[in-house]
Structures are given as C-alpha cells and as structure tokens.
Amino acid sequence: MTDQPQSLFSAVDGLLAAVDGGGVLPVLEERVRLREAAGLTQAAVAQALGVRVASIEAWEAGRAEPKAERLEAYRRLLEGLSRRFPASAAPSGSTEAPPRPDPGAAPPSAPAAPSRPAAPGRQPARRTEGKQSAACLHTALAGGTDPRFANGPLAVVDVEGGRVRAYCTGGLVLDVPAKSLPALVDWTLVEAKLGQPRLSGPGKDADPLLVLTQAALERYGLPTTLTEEERLAGRIPEGHKAVKQLARAHWKLTKRGFGPWARIYRPATGSERACVQLCIPSWNALDARHWGHAGQLPPAELARVLGVYASRVMTPRGSTAVTGLELMTALHPPTRASRPDADGKRYSEHNPGSLGKDAIDPMNWPPCEVPDGHPVLKDLPRFYVRGPGEKLFEEAYDWARQMTDGECMLRYLVGVDVNMAFAAGANGLTVGLGGATHVKAPAFDPKLPGSWLVDLSHIDLSRVKVGKEWVELDGSLLPSPFTPKGERPTGPAWYATPTVAYAAELGYEVRPIEAYVRHESGRYLDGWYQRLRDAYLATMADLGVDADLTPEDFLTAMDGYQDRDPELAIVVSAIKATVKGGLGKLRERPRGEGWKPGQPWRALARPTWRPDIRAAVISRTRTNLHRKIVKHAAFTGQYPVAILSDCVVYACAGPSPLDFLPYRSGKPLPGGFKLGVNPGLVKHEGTQSVLWGEEVRERFDAPELNLARYIKDGTVTDADSGE
C-alpha cells in the first residue's frame, strides 16, 4: 500500500474529519424517522432553526443540505433525537419510516394501524396506491403529533361495491359502518380519529372534514345535485328528511343551513367540541375557478389534493375565501384564557395582537372607509355617488396606454406577473387593531395606519426621487400610483397610509386635511403571510420549481410545471385563491337575505370585517409595483404599456423577460423586477407580438385596451372588449 498516491490518503483523512466534525448528516430516511419518532412537525423544526418549512422538506428529500451554523444546529438536533429514539427501539406496533417519496411517484405500501380494534366483520384499514405529497404522506404514516387525529384532517367518503369507504390522507382507507347521516357524524367524532391540531396556543383544533361523493350522497339520503332554487338559496330546504333526521338525533346546523359546506354540531360542553364539517363537491363546494377539476377526481386523488392543502394551509372551512379569513383567526384568535384567579378559575380575555371582538363598533365606522349601503351612510340620498373626497378607493391597477412609435417598431409584448403579489403586500404591513380616531390637519406619520384626506395632485412623475437621487422620467408614459386607473388626481382624496407614504418617498410634501388613524396597531398579517408563503413554496418545489434557481433555470422550470403533477397544480391554484379571497372577505358585502341599503348585514358583526386592512394591503401592493416600474424606467428607459393588477406588459425586442429585465452578471436591478418563485418576485406571464396588440386595439377601436388582460394566451372575445 506504500505506493498509493498521497492524495488518496488525504481524501480519506478529509472524509474522516468531516464525519468527526459533524459535517456528514444521517441518511435521508433516518432524518425523517428521527423527527417523526419525536412527534415533531417540519414547522416546529423550521421554527427552531430559523428557516422556512420548505428548507426542512428539501433537507429531508435530499434536494438541498444545510450550511454554516444551520448545519451544526441541525446535526445537534438529529444527534439528540438519535440518543432518545435509537433505530432498534422503535415503538411497539410502529414500522420503520419508509424512504422519503417523490410527490409524483407511488408511495411504498405501508400497513395502516388504527388505534382502535376493528369491529367484527369489518375489513381492516388499508392504503391505496397513488401519488402522495411528501408532507401529506408522512403526516399520515406518522399519525401526526396528536393521537386524536391519527388518520389526518379529512376523509373522502365514497361507496365501493356496496361498502362505504373513507379515503384519508396518505392513502389510508377506512371502512365506515354508519348507515345513516347522524350515525356518520357520530362515527366521525368517536372512531374516525380525524381532525387537525390548533395553529396557535389560544386557538381551537380544526373540526374533522368529510367530503361526500355522489355515491355517498345517495347512500345517506341526500340529493346528488341541487335544484336551481336550492342553488340560489345555498342550501336544501329545512324540511328535507336528512335535516329532520339530524334534528331528531339532536344535531344542529349553523345559520347557513345544509349547503355545500354544511357544519353539523352540538353546543360545546366545557372545552369539548362536537362538530363535523361536510364538503359536497357536486353541490359546487369546490369552485372550479379555484379548485380546477378537483371535484371530478376519484376519492383517493381528491383526498390527496385536499390533504396537501390542509397540511400546508389548514383544513378547508368553506370556499378558499372563507378559509383565507379563517386562517387569520386561527393564527390570531380574538380571545385567550386568563391567568388563574385566587380560586384557580380562568376567564376569557382579549388576545393581544388580535382583532378583538369588541375592539370596533360595527355601527361606528369612518364614513370614508365603508362601502356604499353601510348603516353609517343611511342618511345619504338614494343613488348618491361619493367622490374621491368622500370615499377611500384603494384598488388594484387596471391601466393601459397607447404605444409610442419606438415601441411599435419592436417585435414583442412580454408580460411578467408578480408572484403572490397581495400576500407580499401583506408581509410586514402594520395595520390597525382597534378603532379609529378622527383628527384634523394632522402631521403625516408613515408608521401610523389609517385613512388620510390629502391632495396629491401636485406630484409630477416627470421628476421623482429614486432612493436619494432625483431622476428625470417621461411622466406621460407612467401610471399615477395614486389611482387604480393610473389617472393623475385632480384634488383631495382619501388614501391609505402606504399610498401617502409613497408620495412622500417620491420626494414631495404631503399635508393631510384630516385623517382617521389607529394608534393600536401591529403586524397582524405576518403569520398569515408566512404560512401561505411556505405552503406555496413547498408545493412549487414539489413541482420542480425551487427558490434558488437561476433566472434561466427558473424560466425553464416554470414552463409546463402544472403538467408535472396536475393535482399539486390544483393546490397551487387554491393557495393563490386563499390569499386573494381572504383579503376580499375583509370587506364582504351583503349576500342577499333580504338586505336593503342602510341596514346592517351579517358580516359586519365579525371582528375580521376590516375594509381598512384590505385597503392598506392593496395600497401597499400597488405602490410596491409602481416603485419597481419607476426604478426600471430610471435604469433602462423602458416604460410599461399595460398593467392589470399584478401583471405588467413591456414592449421589447425579444420574446423572453430576460430580453428586457436588466440582469447584470446574473444579478437583477436592486429594488426592480427579479425572476423567481418567491412572493414579490416575478414570473413570465406570456408573450405576444406587437402586431397582435395593435391589431386587437384596431379591431375593437380601443387604443387603450388593456393588453395585460390577454397577454397570457392572446385570446380576446367581443365580450372582453365590451361590445
């Protein structure tokens, strides 16, 4: 052996040093086994190590490895767990953790061991073959962190060969002995072990969710589809035999009745809840605009889609909009238990940082912040139209302009779209938590959330500050950041704090005339943003789009990413809809029920009816986009030709975003547009030719038709053009 090259010995010594120094981590399967043996979620590990959940998933799947101090901390965690849970000391009745599955591959067969003994004659639980997401599968196999919810958050109930089956997450299938709807509810609460642990300490555990297929509806005496009258009412009649059956068994329905997202409950006794949520796809519970073809999926695949969404966002509580709003409450419950008094009793008290139940009188809102028809406006004349000086109107962009001669000489129109734009707008935003205080002629404070009446018509976009430098721009080619249509204000108008702050950032003085400000404030939406961001990034990573890709690789990965796993693509769509819908619910309007203008409606009683927060998020999202546009124009001399919400269209010489985005040595313009999957970064929305754009505008005689609306596939109909 003396003739071996010295380099081989050096390499071996280096490998041994890496092992001794902790630079080599356990194999992927062991990392997963140790975490699950300890009952730790990926979120708990991520929080302890100060990283995102997507990073833990990548470390356990082998897509990435921790670095620097994170490597040492992660190794220390795994070593500590290995001492507590050695491989030879697996708990009785458990199986060794299987290899980490690829989301697009069939999972290995694994025995499902329900904690309760099987009833005589009942077929034992089994697992179906099919694709499972990594997070969803491992939650199911490990039984989660709470034995009460060993079988996951939900189940899809179907009838197969005359037997009722419950398809759970992770491929687990349970036999359902219930022969009636009340018995099904009882079985769910007593035997099924379905549900999800609370997302915050003072919160409540998620109720189990049952998804009923058409075959299950027939088995339990429910209509497979709703009549037109029932669809408009959003429920089946109270006299339906299934509703009466529940009433005889002392079960109740919420005021919404028995609809697509029915909630069946008994009044809580102490801390014990008895409530089951139903989801009925054939009654349009899963809106195709947000859930795609999920309602037509087979039971196992539908359980997978909803299970991934539940594990990464939360168990659906209704539409994506309802779930988005419920997620805010789940992360910041309005109340918590007080400290024990002298007798050891606890009481309900306000939870700091939440939107308290009694923080705002629903009948005492600032008139400028409420929508038309609100009770505070009941004395206005009928059909009265409020102007900018009477109404806060913060909405997303819908702006377009004619192309210049120089732009018409270029070949392409390229659209880029901001990822999760409204979620990014909510990140780090300080919002009011309590009621508003009316002040006259206040000094503007950019840190104080509220609504401000101020004249911004003097701001000239031809000369603005970018950072600390004044720059000259062609203001005629830029939209105003102060109005959704991009028009320059003509006088005083109401604006949310981020809009006024941006006016000051551009280098101009602002002098509010009056304001409604909220001194009690906080970053209420931070946790909401972080959970939805992590859900989005983890699911996109499963689809092959990682956060650390180069711009070129990112564009390649985004090309056809939905086709790699259409079911996970549904989850991505639902997560995006949860963001937009949840923010929209903050300003929910009346939904029928005989409402008349000037009367209160149901949503006003919610602590989360907060139009001021919605306005602030939209304001910040719009000004964030305008800031990028201004920096891009100052650096490149290029101006957008159309903007729709979070999509911006530029004319350029090539068909790719890289043909107009100013990357230098792979690095983007600081503060400008950057390609990537993270919220706030941009992706390629679509490319069309300049000739296409001019032809469309000429065909409909609309020189300023918003081409951003059609840039994705180029399809324009007569209805779209307004004809």
Side-chain angles (χ1 to χ4, degrees), residues 46-71:
Q47 183 176 9
L49 297 178
V51 298
R52 295 182 291 105
V53 175
S55 297
I56 303 300
E57 291 185 342
W59 298 349
E60 292 183 351
R63 296 193 302 268
E65 291 291 335
K67 299 177 181 179
E69 68 274 5
R70 295 290 191 313
L71 173 61

Side-chain angles (χ1 to χ4, degrees), residues 387-601:
E390 301 169 284
K391 180 181 180 180
L392 178 67
F393 191 64
E394 296 283 10
E395 298 295 339
Y397 266 131
D398 185 355
W399 170 87
R401 63 169 174 83
Q402 297 185 49
M403 284 185 277
T404 65
D405 292 342
E407 289 167 341
C408 289
M409 297 299 292
L410 299 173
R411 294 189 61 185
Y412 297 101
L413 294 171
V414 180
V416 292
D417 182 82
V418 181
N419 296 315
M420 302 270 283
F422 294 101
N427 181 32
L429 178 65
T430 300
V431 301
L433 301 178
T437 301
H438 186 219
V439 290
K440 290 283 189 178
F444 176 66
D445 183 352
K447 297 181 180 179
L448 192 59
S451 301
W452 309 78
L453 179 63
V454 58
D455 189 350
L456 301 179
S457 60
H458 63 289
I459 296 179
D460 183 6
L461 295 179
S462 297
R463 186 172 184 271
V464 297
K465 262 190 174 181
V466 177
K468 296 182 179 180
E469 302 292 331
W470 286 92
V471 297
E472 304 289 338
L473 302 172
D474 188 342
S476 65
L477 301 181
L478 285 171
S480 168
F482 311 124
T483 61
K485 290 293 184 180
E487 301 164 343
R488 187 168 178 169
T490 57
W494 286 97
Y495 302 101
T497 296
T499 301
V500 187
Y502 183 59
E505 179 186 324
L506 292 175
Y508 290 85
E509 184 180 17
V510 293
R511 293 183 178 179
I513 301 168
E514 61 177 302
Y516 288 92
V517 297
R518 292 174 168 85
H519 296 285
E520 183 187 353
S521 61
R523 292 167 56 161
Y524 174 75
L525 294 173
D526 274 11
W528 182 81
Y529 159 77
Q530 290 161 8
R531 186 161 182 86
L532 289 166
R533 175 203 62 192
D534 289 348
Y536 174 73
L537 292 179
T539 311
M540 290 299 290
D542 286 344
L543 288 165
V545 186
D546 292 303
D548 55 356
L549 296 174
T550 64
E552 294 80 3
D553 290 342
F554 170 71
L555 291 174
T556 301
M558 286 293 294
D559 186 18
Y561 76 93
Q562 294 143 317
D563 299 330
R564 294 177 198 135
D565 191 330
E567 293 168 15
L568 284 182
I570 293 174
V571 178
V572 171
S573 173
I575 292 170
K576 292 179 179 179
T578 303
V579 172
K580 290 188 176 181
L583 293 172
K585 276 282 186 181
L586 293 170
R587 189 178 178 262
E588 184 176 355
R589 301 298 304 277
R591 303 179 62 186
E593 300 178 340
W595 175 82
K596 294 181 180 179
Q599 295 179 345
W601 59 91

Side-chain angles (χ1 to χ4, degrees), residues 395-401 414-419 421-422 479 483-486 580 618 621-622 625-626 629 640-650 673 682-683 685 692 697 704-712 715 720:
E395 298 295 339
Y397 266 131
D398 185 355
W399 170 87
R401 63 169 174 83
V414 180
V416 292
D417 182 82
V418 181
N419 296 315
F422 294 101
T483 61
K485 290 293 184 180
K580 290 188 176 181
I618 294 176
T621 303
R622 193 182 65 246
L625 181 59
H626 195 273
I629 291 169
V641 300
I643 308 173
L644 182 69
S645 187
D646 46 14
C647 176
V648 188
V649 176
Y650 284 88
F673 295 107
V682 298
K683 65 179 182 293
E685 179 68 3
W692 164 85
R697 287 177 165 177
E704 295 182 355
L705 184 71
N706 195 333
L707 299 175
R709 182 173 279 108
Y710 318 108
I711 195 70
K712 190 167 190 176
T715 303
D720 291 331

Side-chain angles (χ1 to χ4, degrees), residues 277-299:
Q277 172 103 39
L278 300 185
C279 168
I280 306 178
S282 64
W283 294 6
N284 200 35
L286 301 175
D287 192 327
R289 294 172 298 176
H290 309 139
W291 288 100
H293 63 285
Q296 285 73 52
L297 289 173

Side-chain angles (χ1 to χ4, degrees), residues 10 27 95 116 121 131 156-157 167 185 189 194 284 434 496 522 634:
S10 299
V27 295
T95 59
R116 68 180 190 280
K131 296 178 289 185
V156 180
V157 181
Y167 292 79
V185 176
L189 294 171
L194 296 175
N284 200 35

